[in-house]
Amino acid sequence: MSYVEVPGAKVPIRMWADPATVDPGALQQLQNVSTLPWIKGLAVMPDVHYGKGATVGSVIAMQGAVCPAAVGVDIGCGMSAVKTSLTANDLPGDLSRLRSKIEQAIPVGRGMHDEPVDPGRLHGFGTAGWEDFWGRFDGVADAVKFREGRAVKQMGTLGSGNHFVELCVDMSDSVWLMLHSGSRNIGKELADHHIGVAQGLSHNQNLVDRDLAVFIAETPQMAAYRNDLFWAQEYAKYNRTIMMALFKDVIRKEFKKAKPMFDPEISAHHNYISEERYDGMDLLVTRKGAIRAGSGEYGIIPGSMGTGSYIVKGLGNAASFNSASHGAGRKMSRNAAKKRFSTRDLEEQTRGVECRKDSGVVDEIPGAYKPIEQVIDQQRDLVEVVAKLKQVVCVKG
């Protein structure tokens, strides 16, 4: 489908979804965002749903201002995927050992490494820029610096919620490695700190929603936020790169005889800000639960833990600010999912996937998400499908 334009907004709201199927609360959030004086347009993805301040699954283009809550608290959260030389025939019938080895290599939940990961010891990891990156940690907000030890030890860890590590097979029986994570606790603390600062500024006192507080260009507060934001986005990218290197090491050891090789990594943020130019204007484009899908750019659109995912290539649709969805998108809250579904439902909906099937991940059950095939179909003018993946191992936080 192409987009529909939401009526009654002060700026164009282009939606790649049927407005009648979108939660009223999310629709109201979109209208709220459109009232900001600096807004130049919104693009709404088919996985749109209610979020904090701004909806998840929205692309917000602003001039001379940025809203930190519209980035989200998991700054730089995103996906990475790698195609391997392995095929489905190389996989053992029992995948429980492989899941265990992945969980041993990559801490999940609130876990962290006992000692910081030394990237110099990781096979194929490029260390250029690593020391400079950590050197810039001294320049982030003083309010979070005391977490330095934790930030270092959480580098290369998964986290919880909807974060995951998966082994997948595509329609040609090729094996893929895929993972989803972000900037861990340090990104959240930086986001919370700056959201609080923004809410205290005088120009934000009469907003329709205090969570839409913004920083304005050429102010000290904006400069501080941009510094910390871009550092956290880089942290998130490094975090995924290190986890993927650890994942590859597991695969090399477990499939030593097959001598696995790996294609170049595909990596894409879906909670971040980018400086881009549209209609002759320099804009700050916030993607909260959306990926960049410029012409020819590769992206990853995952489904839920029992369905599948898609590798896509962007079509460069300027109407969407060169964007596409970041996943299937929730159709019910975590609490609602826990009330509606049982562990038996989880077992049934993840049949054939080696994964946790306990009460701790019922809120991530496929039934709590929109159908990924429908989400893909609604953005055929934004991306083309390169590969469809089906997970056979899923490690959740």
Side-chain angles (χ1 to χ4, degrees):
M1 64 175 287
S2 185
Y3 66 85
V4 295
E5 198 154 314
V6 179
K10 294 188 175 182
V11 296
I13 301 179
R14 305 184 185 104
M15 180 177 291
W16 277 260
D18 179 357
T21 67
V22 179
D23 175 76
L27 289 173
Q28 184 60 57
Q29 286 188 318
L30 294 169
Q31 294 285 359
N32 291 347
V33 170
S34 76
T35 67
L36 295 174
W38 309 272
I39 197 82
K40 296 301 177 182
L42 289 89
V44 186
M45 300 297 103
D47 59 341
V48 62
H49 57 280
Y50 188 85
K52 183 179 175 64
T55 61
V56 179
S58 60
V59 182
I60 302 170
M62 302 178 75
Q63 188 173 45
V66 67
C67 172
V71 182
V73 293
D74 193 356
I75 298 172
C77 186
M79 299 283 304
S80 294
V82 170
K83 185 180 181 180
T84 79
S85 59
L86 299 174
T87 68
N89 289 334
D90 294 312
L91 302 179
D94 183 356
L95 292 165
S96 59
R97 171 186 164 90
L98 182 58
R99 177 163 77 97
S100 178
K101 291 295 183 180
I102 296 168
E103 291 170 342
Q104 289 172 27
I106 301 173
V108 303
R110 295 186 177 183
M112 62 185 80
H113 293 282
D114 293 333
E115 296 295 332
V117 175
D118 179 0
R121 300 180 65 179
L122 295 176
H123 190 283
F125 184 91
T127 57
W130 180 252
E131 293 300 325
D132 175 67
F133 164 74
W134 281 111
R136 285 186 282 113
F137 183 82
D138 290 339
V140 305
D142 289 336
V144 301
K145 281 184 185 174
F146 71 97
R147 295 289 189 184
E148 179 173 6
R150 188 173 181 183
V152 172
K153 290 184 178 181
Q154 282 193 326
M155 176 67 80
T157 67
L158 185 62
S160 55
N162 61 356
H163 293 164
F164 61 78
V165 177
E166 289 184 343
L167 187 88
C168 307
V169 178
D170 68 17
M171 302 305 288
S172 300
D173 279 348
S174 292
V175 171
W176 288 69
L177 315 182
M178 188 165 68
L179 56 85
H180 171 211
S181 191
S183 53
R184 304 295 285 109
N185 190 67
I186 189 67
K188 179 184 183 304
E189 291 199 358
L190 287 170
D192 286 342
H193 166 73
H194 286 289
I195 289 170
V197 171
Q199 289 175 341
L201 297 175
S202 59
H203 62 264
N204 289 321
Q205 299 313 302
N206 296 313
L207 298 174
V208 293
D209 183 346
R210 69 190 303 266
D211 285 327
L212 293 179
V214 304
F215 292 120
I216 298 175
E218 300 181 4
T219 63
Q221 295 89 352
M222 172 71 119
Y225 177 61
R226 285 168 61 98
N227 176 77
D228 294 1
L229 169 84
F230 290 128
W231 184 88
Q233 288 179 182
E234 197 171 349
Y235 182 105
K237 188 171 183 178
Y238 271 127
N239 185 41
R240 291 194 298 274
T241 304
I242 287 178
M243 278 193 289
M244 189 60 80
L246 295 171
F247 195 1
K248 289 178 182 177
D249 282 347
V250 171
I251 298 302
R252 288 189 185 96
K253 291 174 183 175
E254 292 300 300
F255 298 92
K256 191 176 296 184
K257 289 184 179 179
K259 298 180 180 179
M261 295 182 292
F262 306 92
D263 281 3
E265 187 171 326
I266 300 169
S267 183
H269 290 323
H270 55 226
N271 282 8
Y272 75 114
I273 290 177
S274 178
E275 299 170 332
E276 300 176 19
R277 188 171 179 83
Y278 295 94
D279 297 326
M281 295 182 289
D282 292 320
L283 303 176
L284 287 166
V285 178
T286 299
R287 295 184 176 91
K288 182 178 183 179
I291 61 172
R292 181 173 164 85
S295 181
E297 293 180 350
Y298 283 93
I300 307 161
I301 303 178
S304 58
M305 63 188 287
T307 53
S309 300
Y310 288 83
I311 306 297
V312 299
K313 189 182 290 186
L315 297 178
N317 190 327
S320 72
F321 299 105
N322 291 325
S323 304
S325 78
H326 84 312
R330 298 193 73 92
K331 66 179 181 182
M332 65 179 68
S333 70
R334 295 186 181 279
N335 286 335
K338 289 177 182 177
K339 291 177 181 177
R340 178 169 176 178
F341 297 108
S342 66
T343 54
R344 182 173 295 180
D345 295 322
L346 180 63
E347 290 171 6
E348 179 63 30
Q349 294 184 29
T350 59
R351 191 178 301 279
V353 181
E354 173 58 43
C355 63
R356 287 177 59 187
K357 301 178 191 285
D358 57 79
S359 60
V361 292
V362 167
D363 57 342
E364 282 293 299
I365 191 170
Y369 285 83
K370 298 176 182 178
I372 184 62
E373 290 79 11
Q374 174 187 314
V375 169
I376 293 294
D377 190 58
Q378 289 176 309
Q379 52 188 324
R380 293 288 179 180
D381 60 337
L382 304 182
V383 295
E384 63 175 308
V385 173
V386 174
K388 181 180 179 180
L389 314 183
K390 178 68 176 73
Q391 68 271 72
V392 292
V393 176
C394 178
V395 172
K396 298 291 289 188

